[in-house]
Amino acid sequence: MAKRALITGVTGQDGSYLAEFLLERDYEVIGMVRRTSTVNFERIAHIQDRMTLVAGDLLDEGSLISVLAEHKPEEIYNLAAQSFVQTSFSQPVLTGETTALGVTRMLEAIRITNPDVRLYQASSSEMFGKVVEVPQSETTPFYPRSPYGVAKVYGHWITVNYRESYDLHASSGILFNHESPRRGLEFVTRKVTHTVARIKAGLQQHLALGNLDAQRDWGYAADYVDAMWRMVQADEPDDYVIATGETHSVRELCEVAFAAVGLTMEDHVVLDERFLRPAEVDLLVGDATKAEQQLGWKRKVGFRELIEMMVESDLALVHSQRS
C-alpha cells in the first residue's frame, strides 16, 4: 500500500521539491492549496496530474479537519506560511495568524481526527535572529528579530507542546536558508541571480540591494526536503537543525553570480536603504551534526554550485521570455 502524505504550501519552493521527492517514492501526494483569486501552480505544473489538490487554509481550522477526515493522510508536512521576512514587518498580524496560529490549527485538526498522523513542522533559522552563539544548534536559545521569526518560535514551541501533551509524532526542522531556481523573486538569492541574468541580457543596468554584509548559511532546497522526510520516518519525533555549516555574505553571493556570466559586481550593484530591515539578522550558520548522526542526512550541493545553477536557470528563463 502506498503511503499517503499531505503537503501544505505545496505550490511553494519546498512544497514542489517535496512533492517530487515523495512521488519518486510511490507516495500518494495530497497538496493543500488556498482558494485565492490568483493561483500559481507554476512550480508543480510538471507533476500536477500525479497529485490530488485539495482546498484548505491554515486560517480556517474547519477546512483542515475536513481535509484530514476525508483524505486520511499518514504523514503531514506543514510548509505553508507567510514566509517572507520583509513582509512580516508590514503585515505582522497576518504573519502571526498563518505562521504561528496556523500551526496550532493543524495540530488541533490532527489531535481531533487522527493522533497517529506523523507531522513535520517547518521551523526556521530566523528564530535564532540576534544570535547568542555561533554556530547555532538545537540547544541555542531563540532571539527572533522579525514578526516572522517570532511567529515561527510560537509554531515551534506549540509543536513541542502538542508532542509532549498528546504524544504526537510531531517533529520540527529548523531549516537554515535553502534556495533553488524555484525560489521566489522577493528572496535575495533569487533576486540576485535573476537580475544578473537580466543585466547579462542587456535588459537592465543595476542591482539594488540593502545590507551586503549580512551572512547566511545557504543550502539547496532539494537536499533539505530529504531531511524533512527522514524526520517523519524516525522512530521518535524530535527537532533538528538542517544547515550546511558554512556562512557566506550577500557580497559573496553577488561575486559568484556576476562571475558566472563574466561580469563584476562593482559595475552593477547599488546600495538602496529601502532594502534594509528595521532589525537585521547579521550572522546565521547552523550545526547539523545531530541530523547527520541520527538521521543519516547529508547535503549534496555546495554554495558555489547552487548559485551557478540558479544563474544558469535564470539565463534560460530570461532568454525564453524574450524569444
Side-chain angles (χ1 to χ4, degrees):
M1 276 285 287
K3 276 190 183 173
R4 191 176 298 139
L6 172 71
I7 304 173
T8 73
V10 73
T11 59
Q13 169 189 259
D14 292 7
S16 67
Y17 281 112
L18 179 62
E20 283 177 351
F21 182 93
L22 295 177
L23 287 168
E24 283 169 12
R25 281 157 184 76
D26 296 324
Y27 272 70
E28 188 180 325
V29 176
I30 299 136
M32 193 179 89
V33 292
R34 282 180 305 156
R35 285 226 189 280
T36 57
S37 54
T38 54
V39 181
N40 182 6
F41 291 145
E42 188 184 333
R43 294 187 182 96
I44 57 168
H46 62 296
I47 50 172
Q48 205 173 323
D49 59 347
R50 297 168 60 197
M51 297 191 293
T52 303
L53 294 180
V54 299
D57 197 318
L58 290 180
L59 299 178
D60 181 358
E61 189 180 326
S63 72
L64 303 180
I65 292 170
S66 295
V67 168
L68 268 57
E70 182 180 347
H71 295 278
K72 299 181 172 55
E74 296 150 84
E75 300 176 3
I76 296 174
Y77 296 84
N78 187 37
L79 311 184
Q82 190 301 99
S83 61
F84 189 41
V85 175
Q86 193 80 21
T87 301
S88 77
F89 285 101
S90 56
Q91 298 185 334
V93 175
L94 176 68
T95 301
E97 283 286 354
T98 53
T99 308
L101 290 176
V103 186
T104 314
R105 295 185 189 104
M106 179 59 83
L107 287 162
E108 270 293 282
I110 291 170
R111 185 182 71 79
I112 291 165
T113 59
N114 178 11
D116 292 330
V117 167
R118 293 186 171 211
L119 173 73
Y120 169 81
Q121 167 58 22
S123 287
S124 167
S125 60
E126 289 286 333
M127 301 190 304
F128 296 122
K130 187 175 181 180
V131 299
V132 295
E133 65 182 14
V134 178
Q136 294 91 51
S137 72
E138 293 81 6
T139 57
T140 303
F142 300 137
Y143 193 145
R145 295 272 280 173
S146 65
Y148 170 76
V150 173
K152 279 292 185 185
V153 170
Y154 176 99
H156 182 84
W157 281 117
I158 199 69
T159 302
V160 172
N161 183 260
Y162 269 67
R163 179 168 75 211
E164 295 177 353
S165 301
Y166 303 111
D167 198 27
L168 299 185
H169 193 297
S171 297
S172 288
I174 306 171
L175 269 55
F176 280 66
N177 294 63
H178 45 291
E179 319 298 315
S180 76
R182 299 180 196 171
R183 192 57 141 153
L185 288 169
E186 67 273 25
F187 292 88
V188 68
T189 45
R190 183 71 198 293
K191 177 182 175 180
V192 168
T193 62
H194 188 253
T195 306
V196 164
R198 286 179 56 81
I199 290 171
K200 180 64 177 176
L203 296 175
Q204 68 184 79
Q205 278 299 306
H206 297 111
L207 166 62
L209 292 169
N211 182 8
L212 293 181
D213 298 316
Q215 292 179 292
R216 294 290 182 274
D217 182 327
W218 279 302
Y220 179 36
D223 286 346
Y224 285 33
V225 299
D226 174 30
M228 299 176 187
W229 178 76
R230 287 171 185 262
M231 287 178 220
V232 174
Q233 310 316 307
D235 291 339
E236 298 296 327
D238 206 344
D239 306 322
Y240 296 91
V241 163
I242 304 299
T244 70
E246 294 176 11
T247 185
H248 299 276
S249 65
V250 175
R251 189 182 306 278
E252 275 181 85
L253 161 65
C254 292
E255 285 169 352
V256 172
F258 277 101
V261 296
L263 299 173
T264 58
M265 64 172 284
E266 288 77 16
D267 294 334
H268 301 282
V269 173
V270 293
L271 297 181
D272 189 329
E273 291 184 358
R274 288 178 306 159
F275 297 114
L276 295 174
R277 295 179 186 174
E280 181 56 89
V281 174
D282 296 316
L283 175 60
L284 289 174
V285 55
D287 177 2
T289 303
K290 180 178 170 182
E292 289 167 1
Q293 291 177 349
Q294 294 187 16
L295 301 175
W297 176 78
K298 259 282 191 248
R299 60 104 178 216
K300 298 182 180 78
V301 175
F303 173 72
R304 181 175 293 274
E305 188 184 346
L306 170 64
I307 302 308
E308 289 173 349
M309 174 205 305
M310 291 174 67
V311 170
E312 194 174 318
S313 172
D314 276 324
L315 284 170
L317 177 67
V318 168
H319 180 72
S320 70
Q321 289 169 341
R322 295 187 77 186
S323 55

